[in-house]
Amino acid sequence: MSDNPETLYERAAIQHMMRRLDGFARGLGLDEAATRQVVESVVFDMPEQDAGERLVEARARMILATV
């Protein structure tokens, strides 16, 4: 399987965000699958944004997911 650099970058970004948001997500009562779904959507929806902006957006979407 050959991975292009963009795919590798996206996977790394997703893993980084999953680690950073783990405690926040658990505090909201979200399981790993729900957290991954939010994180993946943020990474794919915001490809040009930096990690900080993506984290802010992911937290906002996680809060909305619990409403």
Side-chain angles (χ1 to χ4, degrees):
M1 170 166 108
S2 66
D3 290 319
N4 67 41
E6 186 173 303
T7 301
L8 292 174
Y9 172 77
E10 289 168 350
R11 272 197 285 184
I14 289 166
Q15 287 304 319
H16 173 75
M17 289 179 67
M18 290 292 292
R19 284 191 301 272
R20 291 285 309 271
L21 295 168
D22 181 58
F24 183 79
R26 278 196 265 161
L28 292 173
L30 295 175
D31 63 15
E32 185 176 349
T35 302
R36 181 169 292 280
Q37 184 177 19
V38 169
V39 167
E40 286 176 350
S41 71
V42 169
V43 169
F44 294 118
D45 291 349
M46 302 175 70
E48 302 298 321
Q49 303 304 315
D50 67 29
E53 292 168 328
R54 287 178 172 178
L55 287 169
V56 169
E57 180 64 21
R59 286 184 186 103
R61 291 185 189 190
M62 287 178 180
I63 292 168
L64 289 174
T66 64
V67 178

